[in-house]
Amino acid sequence: MKMITCIAPINMAVIKYWGKRDEELILPINDSISASLSTDVMCAKTTIVTSALLKENKFWLNGQEQSFDSPRLTNCLRAIKKRADEKLPHLHWNISICSENNFPTAAGLASSAAGYACLVYALAQLYNIEGEISNIARQGSGSACRSIYGGWVRWHKGNSPVGEDSLAKQIVPADHWPEMRLLVLVVNDTKKKYSSAKGMAITTLTSSLIKYRANEIVPRRIEAMEQAILNKNFQSFAELTMKDSNSMHACCLDSFPPIAYMNEVSHSIIQLVHLYNDYKKELTVAYTVDAGPNTCIYLLESEVEDFLSIVNFVFPNNVDDNEYYRGLKLPSIRPLDESIVKDLNLSANKEGLLKYIIYTKVGEGPRVLDDSKEHLLQDDGLPKHF
Ligand SMILES: Nc1ncnc2c1ncn2[C@@H]1O[C@H](COP(=O)(O)OP(=O)(O)OP(=O)(O)O)[C@@H](O)[C@H]1O
Ligand SMILES: C[C@@](O)(CCOP(=O)(O)OP(=O)(O)O)CC(=O)O
């Protein structure tokens, strides 16, 4: 019997992956860049057990048994096993997988990225595989390849038709830009209508704008973004981040039928960011939105207090603070200055448009949890809480 438990981070893209050139192998039409986010705040956790006594392969996600036959899971498992030493006795035993996300699944918070990065990383440990595994995680979910590394990561789209060069590389580690923080403004954490996979398939098939984005816009923008990160140039980073998010959502709206992931709340957060940056006379906060209405704000630690007091004024809530503010410890949140309310002509929305706010930072890649108390499975391959 062998058992392994790992955790892996979600990541938040600043240059977005949107569109595939190969659906089955999950090969993208453009490079993308993201930051992996602290596993202390949000992570997927996966335990795998393999034993000669297991009668069949099993998979549980967030306490619910799932089919083991999903093509994405099968592809990852096949690709990993191909890299393992044929003589490993346990390579031919069945496996039990149990995974949990400590944040909402399939709600536009990159659960598939953390989930498949964790699965592939854990499988690689189980079968003693060394070296590049991001191109295997990619076959679970494209963005998962970036979660194989910590810090700032670039997914190179590659040119090979079979995808061996479509892999992620770390640009710089997590401690390169230690002041960088993220506020995830959770607008809606229910399951969305179009998964990223479905949405980007419609865009790739029907949008003419996406071709211009992939061939002209992103190739230029990606190099500028890499430089902005290397030089810790927040002005350039913020401009590129916001423009790229807008570009992805413009392509979604250019799809036929159009896909609208953002809602009115996302749009009013975006307007607020622009208003705030104009007021500060420089770009001090940057928004980015994935395939859902939740809006993520990249900002430096020194800006968190000011920006959050504005967000709280514009989006009042009556939720208990311990429930509303999640993640890292926030600086004290103070009421907004009357003068700013006047200068910016701010008005408060009705209560409850934001469900909660996650405060986090750039973090490390996947890792093994050695403590046996962390395992989600028992020796017999069944979940502990079954
Ligand atoms: N911990 C996990 N282990 C394995 N698979 C997972 C895990 N978490 C999520 N998944 C898979 O990812 C799917 C959700 O992916 P989807 O792209 O719809 O949402 P998301 O990743 O939360 O949002 P987005 O990618 O748009 O930010 C789940 O239905 C499941 O198949
Ligand atoms: C908007 C995005 O978050 C899209 C992520 O798409 P997925 O990686 O979830 O899609 P599949 O490859 O089909 O699983 C942008 C990004 O993370 O780059």
Side-chain angles (χ1 to χ4, degrees), residues 44 59 61 99 101 105-112 115-116 192 195-196 290-291:
F59 174 36
L61 175 57
S99 189
N101 302 320
T105 298
L109 291 174
S111 67
S112 58
Y116 281 103
K192 62 198 174 199
S195 67
S196 316
D290 276 350

Side-chain angles (χ1 to χ4, degrees), residues 99-364:
S99 189
E100 278 175 3
N101 302 320
N102 67 352
F103 59 92
T105 298
L109 291 174
S111 67
S112 58
Y116 281 103
C118 202
L119 175 75
V120 168
Y121 186 82
L123 285 169
Q125 307 298 312
L126 191 71
Y127 299 126
N128 310 332
I129 290 161
E130 281 171 8
E132 186 53 53
I133 54 167
S134 72
N135 55 353
I136 301 181
R138 189 202 74 230
Q139 295 174 51
S141 176
S143 54
C145 73
R146 298 186 310 238
S147 279
I148 289 291
Y149 298 101
W152 297 89
V153 183
R154 174 168 172 177
W155 175 10
H156 296 259
K157 73 179 181 66
N159 295 310
S160 154
V162 290
E164 78 280 4
D165 57 351
S166 185
L167 39 89
K169 289 188 182 150
Q170 187 182 67
I171 302 170
V172 280
D175 61 3
H176 167 75
W177 203 347
E179 307 85 7
M180 187 63 91
R181 294 289 179 277
L182 288 96
L183 291 167
V184 186
L185 308 185
V186 178
V187 175
N188 185 343
D189 61 358
T190 54
K191 209 166 155 54
K192 62 198 174 199
K193 186 166 165 217
Y194 286 120
S195 67
S196 316
K198 179 115 186 272
M200 71 174 83
I202 298 173
T203 306
T204 315
L205 267 179
T206 65
S207 163
S208 36
L209 199 54
I210 192 75
K211 295 176 186 64
Y212 181 64
R213 169 175 163 76
N215 299 332
E216 306 287 334
I217 300 177
V218 175
R220 276 198 297 270
R221 201 172 267 163
I222 202 114
E223 300 306 331
M225 178 60 88
E226 211 172 299
Q227 283 311 310
I229 293 168
L230 285 168
N231 300 329
K232 296 194 264 182
N233 179 343
F234 192 86
Q235 291 298 301
S236 169
F237 168 84
E239 183 176 336
L240 294 163
T241 297
M242 294 187 280
K243 286 187 170 171
D244 201 68
S245 174
N246 295 344
S247 157
M248 182 199 116
H249 290 277
C251 291
C252 289
L253 283 182
D254 187 48
S255 307
F256 200 74
I259 304 163
Y261 283 118
M262 294 194 281
N263 65 13
E264 266 178 51
V265 181
S266 334
H267 283 290
S268 52
I269 297 166
I270 287 173
Q271 292 315 321
L272 186 64
V273 167
H274 281 286
L275 196 68
Y276 183 72
N277 283 335
D278 288 348
Y279 171 73
K280 289 264 174 158
K281 298 197 172 54
E282 59 175 350
L283 303 182
T284 54
V285 284
Y287 55 79
T288 184
V289 188
D290 276 350
N294 301 327
T295 306
C296 181
I297 308 290
Y298 272 98
L299 74 182
L300 300 180
E301 191 180 9
S302 52
E303 283 299 324
V304 172
E305 195 178 338
D306 278 0
F307 185 66
L308 208 52
S309 61
I310 293 207
V311 169
N312 286 339
F313 177 84
V314 177
F315 296 100
N317 75 88
N318 62 0
V319 183
D320 181 71
D321 276 4
N322 291 328
E323 175 67 16
Y324 193 70
Y325 302 111
R326 306 184 183 189
L328 304 176
K329 193 173 161 14
L330 278 161
S332 60
I333 302 158
R334 49 179 174 70
L336 193 57
D337 258 17
E338 268 306 312
S339 64
I340 300 180
V341 177
K342 257 209 203 113
D343 286 352
L344 294 181
N345 196 15
L346 295 176
S347 57
N349 282 293
K350 68 170 192 231
E351 258 180 17
L353 295 182
L354 294 184
K355 290 201 167 175
Y356 55 91
I357 295 177
I358 307 169
Y359 181 43
T360 186
K361 61 181 180 180
V362 183
E364 309 295 334

